[in-house]
Amino acid sequence: MSTISTALEQPAESKLLRHIDWRGAFWVASGVPALVLFSIGGIAGTTGTLAFLIWTVSMIMGFLQSFTYAEIAGLFPNKSGGASIYGATAWLRYSKFIAPLSVWCNWFAWSPVLSLGCSIAAAYILNALAPIPVFSETSPEVVAYIAAHAGTAPADAIAAVTAAATPAIRTWTLWGHTLGPVSFTLNATFFIGAVLMLVIFAIQHRGILGTANVQKYIGLLVIIPMLIVGVVPIITGQIDYANFSPLVPLAAAYAPDPGSWNIAGWTLVLGGMFIAAWSTYGFETAVCYTSEFKNPGTDTFKAIFYSGLLCMLLFILVPFT
């Protein structure tokens, strides 16, 4: 009787369920190529004509790293969390303090991607629903404004007409503040981004299987337009190869003048590589679910390998075209 009572009182062992295969992890990682939109402008401004090469080299480095991640993941088929957990395991024998700290630092460094991604998505939504109109010197509105305000310069007239025609939601701000070099505002972008983040949390809170099923469709919404952007200009011959010459670093960041392969040039190139790494290495998330794979022995490698191929294709095509 006591044996039965003891057995009933013992809680069931809590563990992750092996519900997904490599396809599920692939679809989760399918959102990574959209990260090219985070820094494509910054890298172009920093490296100039070398931008597409920066993306290519960075993606190749990330893809080669994926084999290392897959190998390490195979050593820990019952651990989820990806590279951060593997690093913590390596540190554990040396310091029980540094091990968890390394996990925290890894994800702390990646956390800004959430806010940046939601902010960029919010900006796209605003541009689609409430675009800011574009005027030129010959636009009827500008011509009428100059006629009504004699002596107004065309540039000032364009600015005035644009401000008047801009939807109110684009300039609305609930509250704003500046703290040293940092300024922040509670505007439409903030609230739309916050809603997007809460929706993402709600989806992920259902578990990896539900997340993978939803991400499949979101991933397709990302992949298909990016493939069109990357492939169509090549097929139609709309690529201006003059944009890739000369293949030298810029003389200074965000300056059009070409520089040379000196220390300043290499500094900009390596800076571009650093920025690109925040996007191109993101598909390592495919191995974060090892202990939830149905067959971790094969699913782990397939997940990160095929995710890497997808990212390599899009991270090279989109900046090139």
Side-chain angles (χ1 to χ4, degrees):
M1 183 67 177
S2 60
T3 304
I4 296 176
S5 300
T6 303
L8 291 175
E9 292 172 359
Q10 290 179 346
E13 182 182 357
S14 177
K15 62 180 181 179
L16 296 173
L17 302 177
R18 297 189 180 276
H19 277 170
I20 64 170
D21 57 13
W22 69 269
R23 296 176 185 84
F26 170 84
W27 287 118
V28 170
S30 66
V32 172
L35 293 178
V36 70
L37 303 176
F38 282 39
S39 46
I40 190 170
I43 292 178
T46 303
T47 61
T49 56
L50 296 174
F52 81 98
L53 284 178
I54 298 296
W55 284 107
T56 301
V57 173
S58 182
M59 189 60 240
I60 291 174
M61 290 175 60
F63 186 66
L64 293 177
Q65 286 181 142
S66 69
F67 293 95
T68 303
Y69 292 141
E71 182 70 20
I72 298 175
L75 300 176
F76 305 100
N78 296 316
K79 287 185 178 293
S80 282
S84 61
I85 297 298
Y86 309 146
T89 303
W91 275 110
L92 196 58
R93 61 183 296 183
Y94 302 106
S95 172
K96 292 185 178 180
F97 172 76
I98 295 180
L101 181 63
S102 68
V103 177
W104 184 87
C105 289
N106 177 277
W107 291 114
F108 179 78
W110 278 108
S111 294
V113 173
L114 295 173
S115 58
L116 288 173
C118 290
S119 297
I120 292 174
Y124 286 148
I125 292 173
L126 279 175
N127 286 334
L129 299 180
I132 297 177
V134 178
F135 299 98
S136 65
E137 295 182 10
T138 58
S139 298
E141 296 86 350
V142 175
V143 173
Y145 186 91
I146 294 176
H149 302 80
T152 303
D156 295 333
I158 292 174
V161 171
T162 301
T166 298
I169 193 173
R170 300 301 298 267
T171 57
W172 173 80
T173 299
L174 178 63
W175 183 73
H177 187 67
T178 300
L179 185 62
V182 179
S183 61
F184 47 90
T185 56
L186 300 182
N187 53 18
T189 301
F190 169 82
F191 286 104
I192 294 175
V195 170
L196 292 174
M197 190 172 293
L198 290 174
V199 170
I200 293 171
F201 174 80
I203 293 172
Q204 294 181 342
H205 194 64
R206 300 168 55 205
I208 184 59
L209 181 60
T211 301
N213 290 333
V214 174
Q215 180 59 29
K216 179 191 301 183
Y217 301 102
I218 298 176
L220 288 173
L221 290 176
V222 171
I223 294 170
I224 293 174
M226 293 184 72
L227 280 175
I228 293 174
V229 170
V231 173
V232 170
I234 297 176
I235 296 176
T236 58
Q238 293 179 317
I239 298 177
D240 185 0
Y241 290 97
N243 293 331
F244 304 106
S245 178
L247 281 176
V248 295
L250 295 175
Y254 298 97
D257 300 325
S260 59
W261 291 99
N262 53 19
I263 294 178
W266 275 107
T267 300
L268 292 176
V269 169
L270 295 177
M273 290 288 294
F274 177 80
I275 298 172
W278 288 95
S279 300
T280 55
Y281 298 172
F283 70 96
E284 70 181 41
T285 54
V287 296
C288 287
Y289 316 101
T290 303
S291 65
E292 296 170 80
F293 285 147
K294 295 177 181 178
N295 186 355
T298 58
D299 287 338
T300 301
F301 174 78
K302 289 181 179 179
I304 198 165
F305 179 74
Y306 290 114
S307 298
L309 287 180
L310 173 67
C311 289
M312 181 173 289
L313 174 66
L314 294 178
F315 274 115
I316 293 175
L317 271 181
V318 173
F320 177 72
T321 55

